[in-house]
Amino acid sequence: MTAPKRRARREKLGRHVLINGDAMTVLRRMNAASIDVIVTSPPYNIGLPYNSYKDAMADADYLDWMIRICQQLKRVLRPEGSFFLNISGTSRRPWLPFELAMRLQPLFSLQNHIIWVKSLAIGDVTHGHFKPLNSTRFLNHNHEHVFHFTHEGAVVIDRLAIGVPFKDKSNIARRNHARDCRCRGNTWYIPYETVRTKQQKFMHPGTFPVGLPGACLALHGVDENSIVLDPFLGSGSTLVAAEGAGANGIGIELDPTYYRTARARLRALMPARAGENAHS
Ligand SMILES: C[S@@+](CC[C@H](N)C(=O)[O-])C[C@H]1O[C@@H](n2cnc3c(N)ncnc32)[C@H](O)[C@@H]1O
């Protein structure tokens, strides 16, 4: 990892704080037990062509770095907080997410393991965004992991906030449900929007759809007093979701170009620029 020498730049944008700087440096300065929900997708160390960050450490160094980051995330997370870690391996390097999750065992309870499904075939009907892969040995990679970590594994979640209607309506009364809504389960089908240009992908090689952090925030439950953190903000998807959920966001991004993209996305959601100021 190449840590920048300059001081982090901070900006307040509505109810959010955007920081252009190194996650580790910024996290170390944050108050303990100050964050309600962390949703993040760190670099996966799979050689993605980011603007400035080199996504190609030795695996051992990458894991050590991620552990140090997660130690800080544990420190800043409130006792009843949730940490949603989105990560994936590749067909050739399938172990990395599992290795990381195993290394995090001493720090967190794994309260839920969610599979984010990006593309799906039901019978002969296909759904979602399919990324073709030419291979004689690997299946196409259609999913990623979302590890829901908490301090003790006992955080109360709002399962029905992202629930689905019953197919068999007789189950509502038979199973004593107050309304036509059941738990969605831990496989979440959240496709990317189909885009044709890099601009529509925010000129970023590794975004997640806003629906993913949106579902995490709804599951944990947030309101106008909640603070949501993404230490690897990228194009700003988590803060877009936080804005939609009416929560306060803190986003940290190393790359100035992605930082500006995140700021522009958030600004586009704001009715006015009141309350905005910049300082370094
Ligand atoms: C997988 S991407 C996050 C994408 C984001 N979820 C989105 O939807 O746009 C990881 C991001 O981490 C950033 N990054 C890498 N090292 C960093 C560091 N030390 N501190 C802060 N951000 C970093 C990269 O520039 C990249 O934008």
Side-chain angles (χ1 to χ4, degrees):
M1 185 197 52
T2 47
K5 301 278 182 288
R6 63 185 169 75
R7 277 189 71 190
R9 172 190 165 89
R10 297 168 66 93
E11 283 179 78
K12 184 127 175 59
L13 200 53
R15 55 169 82 234
H16 312 289
V17 178
L18 281 90
I19 303 166
N20 179 203
D22 169 56
M24 183 72 83
T25 311
V26 176
L27 286 169
R28 281 197 180 119
R29 294 193 184 128
M30 286 175 60
N31 289 337
S34 58
I35 300 294
D36 296 284
V37 190
I38 300 163
V39 185
T40 199
S41 179
Y44 297 173
N45 207 37
I46 56 176
L48 277 193
Y50 292 113
N51 222 7
S52 46
Y53 174 77
K54 300 279 171 276
D55 192 31
M57 287 189 214
D59 278 352
D61 293 343
Y62 170 78
L63 288 169
D64 287 348
W65 173 62
M66 277 304 298
I67 298 303
R68 289 198 300 278
I69 290 278
C70 289
Q71 283 165 343
Q72 290 302 318
L73 296 179
K74 177 183 167 76
R75 188 183 65 76
V76 301
L77 189 66
R78 289 200 167 124
E80 69 289 1
S82 284
F83 167 27
F84 294 92
L85 175 66
N86 164 227
I87 191 155
S88 176
T90 64
S91 301
R92 284 174 196 279
R93 294 167 69 195
W95 291 112
L96 207 71
F98 302 105
E99 282 183 86
L100 179 58
M102 290 296 290
R103 290 271 309 264
L104 290 175
Q105 259 192 90
L107 294 184
F108 294 105
S109 284
L110 179 56
Q111 187 165 326
N112 287 287
H113 178 197
I114 298 146
I115 301 296
W116 165 31
V117 178
K118 302 192 265 189
S119 160
L120 179 68
I122 302 174
D124 289 337
V125 181
T126 58
H127 304 264
H129 183 81
F130 185 72
K131 198 172 167 192
L133 166 79
N134 267 337
S135 175
T136 54
R137 56 182 175 141
F138 296 129
L139 293 168
N140 281 276
H141 212 83
N142 294 352
H143 77 279
E144 297 198 7
H145 305 271
V146 180
F147 296 112
H148 174 208
F149 291 115
T150 58
H151 286 291
E152 305 290 343
V155 169
V156 176
I157 52 172
D158 188 355
R159 303 184 331 153
L160 299 191
I162 55 165
V164 291
F166 283 95
K167 191 152 193 183
D168 176 354
K169 305 296 180 195
S170 69
N171 278 324
I172 304 170
R174 186 145 35 91
R175 301 197 192 278
N176 256 341
H177 290 280
R179 59 192 167 108
D180 183 8
C181 189
R182 69 157 172 84
C183 177
R184 172 176 298 271
N186 62 1
T187 45
W188 295 357
Y189 169 63
I190 305 177
Y192 282 103
E193 277 178 48
T194 302
V195 294
R196 309 236 171 271
T197 64
K198 281 188 177 175
Q199 279 85 352
Q200 288 174 300
K201 286 180 79 185
F202 309 110
M203 306 294 285
H204 191 290
T207 62
F208 48 39
V210 172
L212 186 72
C216 296
L217 297 184
L219 184 66
H220 178 88
V222 292
D223 60 24
E224 71 279 6
N225 298 313
S226 309
I227 303 182
V228 174
L229 169 69
D230 188 342
F232 298 102
L233 185 64
S235 66
S237 311
T238 299
L239 292 201
V240 171
E243 173 68 17
N248 309 286
I250 300 175
I252 310 167
E253 170 56 49
L254 186 65
D255 184 86
T257 307
Y258 301 151
Y259 172 83
R260 284 194 291 272
T261 300
R263 187 177 57 188
R265 282 180 83 189
L266 263 185
R267 265 194 185 143
L269 299 175
M270 311 246 154
R273 303 229 175 130
E276 204 181 305
N277 62 62
H279 49 95
S280 53

